[in-house]
Amino acid sequence: MDSLEEKTLHSEMLFKGNIIELQVDEVELPNGEHSKREIIKHPGAVAIIPFSADGSMYLVEQFRKPLEKTIIEIPAGKMEEGEEPIITAKRELEEETGFQSDDFTYLTSFYTSPGFANELLHIFVARDLRKVEKPLKQDADEFLNLVKVTPDEAEQLMQQQLIHDAKTMYAMEYWKLLLLMEENA
Amino acid sequence: MDSLEEKTLHSEMLFKGNIIELQVDEVELPNGEHSKREIIKHPGAVAIIPFSADGSMYLVEQFRKPLEKTIIEIPAGKMEEGEEPIITAKRELEEETGFQSDDFTYLTSFYTSPGFANELLHIFVARDLRKVEKPLKQDADEFLNLVKVTPDEAEQLMQQQLIHDAKTMYAMEYWKLLLLMEENA
């Protein structure tokens, strides 16, 4: 296989925000030509698939400004600097749903959009949820509604494009697989 | 349910690149407070799950500058302005793999990272592939290796974190579901 690596010739940081940074790199391509790469730097994030004891899943409804649309997602949030993913997972589950759990299982990690962003998302499954009396507060600029769904209701939300993002679609495929494997067991 | 919408008070375009734009919006939150939203605008993209007649899948190995890493993904590419997703799908499949197909099926669409980007990804399944003698050329700054994998090989690539992005992980869950349903049929 040919080496596909691109060597950085020059790197310029154009924007440092609260959540993302924008950097433009000039690179040397494998054939020696030069090109530019527009890169979004992101601290990484964690998402949780929270199953209830009665076989439903908890989701959160949230307005997403980039989409100008309210969608329904698995709970998620960005990692603080130096934070272990499992710590983020416990915090975000409590902040966004009001639940705690001692039964977190690491499922997988993936880059959400490798063409232009380095955001790495870690996914956990949480079971054996218990309602907390005084849960951690949501971020000051975060407004959410909690939604509990059966597999059939989730299917309807996908068809209505209310479930409409990568991590939640992944969670739904994972759920279908689980249910099919349970049926077969 | 409470309304979660955020009203735009002010919008500033900070960067227009070849692939992405950066915009910062000042918004009014549901409680009347103000906040800022960092938004990446992206033209949208298409990805293809290409199945071979012998039950394998074709993937492409590509260096991803934002990750500083070479990973293996389902073929994909961004949409040109005004382009129908199916047209992008046919073009990208040919450019990236050298295959054409008359059997494209639309599978689903999802936002890759709704917290900060409006990138919408459309996914198609392609079957009945035929090798083209003189395929469309890849973009001048795009270098790829074609990789054909069985389900077991794909599983290994996931464990090695060489398959490591959302759309390809979704494709793998989809593939597992298909195989399990075929077994049960």
Side-chain angles (χ1 to χ4, degrees):
Chain A
M1 292 259 175
D2 302 334
S3 167
L4 303 168
E5 204 169 320
E6 299 171 358
K7 212 164 61 185
T8 308
L9 301 172
H10 179 77
S11 186
E12 195 176 1
M13 181 66 71
L14 296 181
F15 174 81
K16 278 183 185 263
N18 286 321
I19 296 178
I20 56 174
E21 296 174 1
L22 169 65
Q23 179 179 311
V24 175
D25 284 3
E26 195 183 345
V27 299
E28 186 183 310
L29 300 171
N31 66 355
E33 301 283 321
H34 294 187
S35 188
K36 298 229 167 178
R37 299 294 181 211
E38 300 157 5
I39 297 168
I40 298 300
K41 302 230 169 182
H42 185 284
V46 166
I48 307 104
I49 304 178
F51 287 114
S52 69
D54 63 358
S56 291
M57 194 189 287
Y58 285 101
L59 302 173
V60 291
E61 186 186 36
Q62 186 169 13
F63 183 75
R64 292 303 203 172
K65 191 66 189 164
L67 323 182
E68 294 291 348
K69 181 175 153 175
T70 299
I71 62 173
I72 296 175
E73 303 167 54
I74 53 173
K78 79 178 168 71
M79 291 164 67
E80 302 300 328
E81 211 184 309
E83 194 172 49
E84 288 292 316
I86 180 66
I87 304 299
T88 318
K90 289 183 173 183
R91 177 166 44 76
E92 291 293 338
L93 180 68
E94 184 171 338
E95 283 182 10
E96 298 202 342
T97 70
F99 289 112
Q100 288 180 350
S101 164
D102 294 320
D103 184 359
F104 275 88
T105 314
Y106 170 73
L107 185 59
T108 192
S109 301
F110 48 70
Y111 292 99
T112 53
S113 201
F116 68 89
N118 77 342
E119 185 193 23
L120 180 61
L121 182 71
H122 306 283
I123 301 190
F124 291 84
V125 173
R127 295 178 183 275
D128 200 9
L129 308 175
R130 57 174 183 277
K131 202 80 195 170
V132 184
E133 220 171 291
K134 288 183 180 174
L136 294 171
K137 275 196 179 167
Q138 285 165 26
D139 294 343
D141 65 348
E142 210 172 42
F143 296 83
L144 305 166
N145 291 322
L146 189 62
V147 183
K148 187 181 177 185
V149 296
T150 63
D152 282 351
E153 288 163 350
E155 191 61 45
Q156 282 173 31
L157 291 173
M158 282 190 276
Q159 279 168 22
Q160 296 167 328
Q161 300 194 323
L162 290 170
I163 290 177
H164 206 196
D165 79 301
K167 65 181 176 307
T168 311
M169 294 295 277
Y170 178 87
M172 293 304 156
E173 293 292 89
Y174 172 77
W175 199 7
K176 282 185 203 167
L177 263 173
L178 270 190
L179 293 172
L180 211 52
M181 286 190 294
E182 275 170 24
E183 252 179 56
N184 288 2
Chain B
M1 295 261 173
D2 302 335
S3 167
L4 302 168
E5 204 169 320
E6 299 171 358
K7 212 165 62 185
T8 307
L9 300 171
H10 179 75
S11 185
E12 194 176 359
M13 181 67 70
L14 296 181
F15 174 80
K16 279 184 184 261
N18 286 322
I19 297 179
I20 57 174
E21 297 175 359
L22 168 65
Q23 179 179 312
V24 176
D25 284 4
E26 195 184 345
V27 299
E28 185 182 311
L29 301 171
N31 66 356
E33 301 284 320
H34 293 187
S35 187
K36 297 228 167 177
R37 299 293 181 212
E38 299 157 5
I39 297 167
I40 298 299
K41 302 230 168 180
H42 184 285
V46 166
I48 308 103
I49 303 178
F51 287 114
S52 69
D54 62 0
S56 292
M57 194 189 287
Y58 285 100
L59 301 172
V60 291
E61 186 186 35
Q62 185 171 14
F63 183 76
R64 291 303 204 172
K65 190 68 190 163
L67 323 182
E68 293 293 348
K69 181 175 152 175
T70 299
I71 60 173
I72 297 177
E73 303 167 54
I74 54 173
K78 78 177 169 68
M79 292 166 66
E80 303 299 328
E81 212 185 308
E83 195 173 47
E84 289 292 316
I86 180 66
I87 303 299
T88 318
K90 290 183 174 183
R91 177 166 44 77
E92 291 293 338
L93 180 68
E94 183 172 338
E95 283 182 9
E96 299 202 343
T97 69
F99 289 112
Q100 288 181 349
S101 164
D102 294 321
D103 184 359
F104 276 88
T105 313
Y106 170 74
L107 184 58
T108 191
S109 302
F110 48 70
Y111 291 99
T112 54
S113 200
F116 68 89
N118 76 342
E119 183 193 22
L120 181 60
L121 181 70
H122 306 282
I123 301 190
F124 290 84
V125 172
R127 295 179 184 275
D128 201 10
L129 308 175
R130 56 171 185 278
K131 201 80 195 169
V132 183
E133 220 171 294
K134 290 183 180 172
L136 295 170
K137 275 197 179 165
Q138 285 165 26
D139 293 344
D141 65 349
E142 211 172 42
F143 296 82
L144 304 166
N145 291 324
L146 189 62
V147 183
K148 187 182 177 185
V149 296
T150 64
D152 282 351
E153 288 163 349
E155 191 62 45
Q156 282 172 31
L157 291 174
M158 281 190 276
Q159 280 167 23
Q160 296 166 327
Q161 301 194 322
L162 290 170
I163 290 178
H164 206 196
D165 79 301
K167 65 181 176 306
T168 311
M169 295 296 277
Y170 179 87
M172 293 305 156
E173 293 293 270
Y174 173 75
W175 199 6
K176 281 184 204 168
L177 264 173
L178 270 190
L179 293 172
L180 210 53
M181 285 191 294
E182 275 170 26
E183 254 179 54
N184 287 3

